[in-house]
Amino acid sequence: MSATADIATANISTGDSHEHSDKAIVVRRMDFSFDAVDTMDWYRDNPILTAFIAVLSGTFPPGEQMFIESVRHFKERVTDPKLLDDVRDFTRQEAHHTNQHKLANEKLESLGWKAQKIEKRVEKAIALLNAKRSKRERLAATVCLEHITAIVAEYVLTHPKQLEGMHPSIKYMMIWHAIEEIEHKSVAFDVYITTGGKRKMLYRIMRAIAVLFPTLTIARTIYLLWAARRMPSWAQIKEAWTMLFGDEGMFTCIKEPFKDFYREDFHPEDHDNRELINKWKAEIETYRAG
Ligand SMILES: [Fe+2]
Ligand SMILES: [Fe+2]
């Protein structure tokens, strides 16, 4: 199926989004169909790259649930009506991401990638974290993870070549998700700061997440390959390495924007991505029309 045809079949509705031209956060109801994903290695015929995206897809539903809850705990203390409005749209966007990724994970599981097992593992890890950490620390963790999500989203949208060879249904789900992550990237941060959160705590938690998140994602990718009994070739290992750690690779390119987080006056909107997402939103609309 062509990318054009695929996005055209994705049902997009912005009916509940209060969409205005000046609105930064738009809730888009998407209804991707993953029926056409019929090959196991749907990303460049490369099992490592496919497993890597499957791990991210498995991580999103419990992760986003945690984001929603951690922000909700502080909603009562938010007085700015604009921020309250943003919290509502942030919650709706994340809830839709969860729904679509859960559907994708069902498909991935049927293809042999244990994405739903990843969901359950992450769920357990979060429950453990919730039992040990304060609400403030959980919100701080959300702020850190939202920063990582936003810079990965920026990377995806500025390196469209990386998306080549991905099955269109999954590719457009990732593009849609990336756009919305950029749209709401400052919400958790603003709630954290305006309700009295200290940057010192953010730095402490980010130092832990900066080690844990990539380590766990890579370990889970290896687990998925093992569980699916997939042994990649040397050429596939080399390709995956280049795409993740090469000069233009994801982990290489997000290093600089990642470091900005530790600046004393950092705000997520310092990375102005409006032009970037406008370009992609237009592209999605063109695909829809096509
Ligand atoms: Fe999300
Ligand atoms: Fe998010």
Side-chain angles (χ1 to χ4, degrees), residues 1 8 30 35 38 41 55 107 123 197 208 219 225 236 253 270:
M1 184 186 281
M30 304 294 284
D35 293 349
D38 52 4
D41 301 338
V55 168
K107 179 69 191 188
E123 226 171 77
L225 289 164
Q236 288 165 336
C253 292
D270 293 347

Side-chain angles (χ1 to χ4, degrees), residues 64 67 90 93-94 97 142 145-146 149-150 177 180-182 184-185:
E64 289 171 326
F67 298 170
F90 156 84
Q93 281 191 332
E94 294 291 34
H97 301 167
T142 295
L145 288 162
E146 281 284 275
T149 315
H177 197 162
E180 297 197 351
E181 286 304 321
I182 289 174
H184 73 226
K185 66 180 176 176

Side-chain angles (χ1 to χ4, degrees), residues 21-162:
S21 55
D22 60 344
K23 189 154 179 74
I25 305 174
V26 178
V27 185
R28 303 166 184 85
R29 286 187 181 277
M30 304 294 284
D31 187 13
F32 290 104
S33 164
F34 302 105
D35 293 349
V37 186
D38 52 4
T39 48
M40 191 165 182
D41 301 338
W42 40 262
Y43 187 13
R44 294 183 179 231
D45 285 325
N46 187 319
I48 305 174
L49 293 172
T50 307
F52 182 76
I53 301 293
V55 168
L56 291 182
S57 188
T59 307
F60 284 131
E64 289 171 326
Q65 213 47 50
M66 180 197 111
F67 298 170
I68 291 171
E69 279 167 22
S70 66
V71 169
R72 193 179 285 154
H73 284 140
F74 286 82
K75 206 176 141 197
E76 302 303 314
R77 297 199 221 166
V78 175
T79 50
D80 176 6
K82 160 83 172 64
L83 184 54
L84 275 173
D85 207 34
D86 286 350
V87 166
R88 189 195 56 200
D89 288 338
F90 156 84
T91 305
R92 286 181 176 172
Q93 281 191 332
E94 294 291 34
H96 286 316
H97 301 167
T98 293
N99 290 342
Q100 291 299 298
H101 278 282
K102 271 187 172 289
L103 289 174
N105 294 343
E106 237 176 77
K107 179 69 191 188
L108 292 172
E109 194 84 22
S110 76
L111 289 171
W113 298 111
K114 299 272 180 208
Q116 289 177 317
K117 187 125 186 202
I118 298 294
E119 271 187 49
K120 289 202 181 81
R121 283 187 178 199
V122 177
E123 226 171 77
K124 273 192 191 165
I126 290 173
L128 219 72
L129 183 93
N130 285 350
K132 288 186 178 169
R133 301 292 174 194
S134 68
K135 287 177 179 169
R136 176 61 74 186
E137 285 174 311
R138 278 139 69 180
L139 180 59
T142 295
V143 173
C144 296
L145 288 162
E146 281 284 275
H147 177 62
I148 293 175
T149 315
I151 58 176
V152 169
E154 182 182 30
Y155 170 79
V156 168
L157 299 184
T158 48
H159 293 75
K161 266 189 180 269
Q162 299 289 73

Side-chain angles (χ1 to χ4, degrees), residues 160-180:
K161 266 189 180 269
Q162 299 289 73
L163 295 165
E164 283 171 13
M166 191 183 287
H167 191 283
S169 304
I170 313 245
K171 175 177 154 179
Y172 283 100
M173 176 179 68
M174 299 304 274
I175 292 172
W176 159 70
H177 197 162
I179 290 172
E180 297 197 351

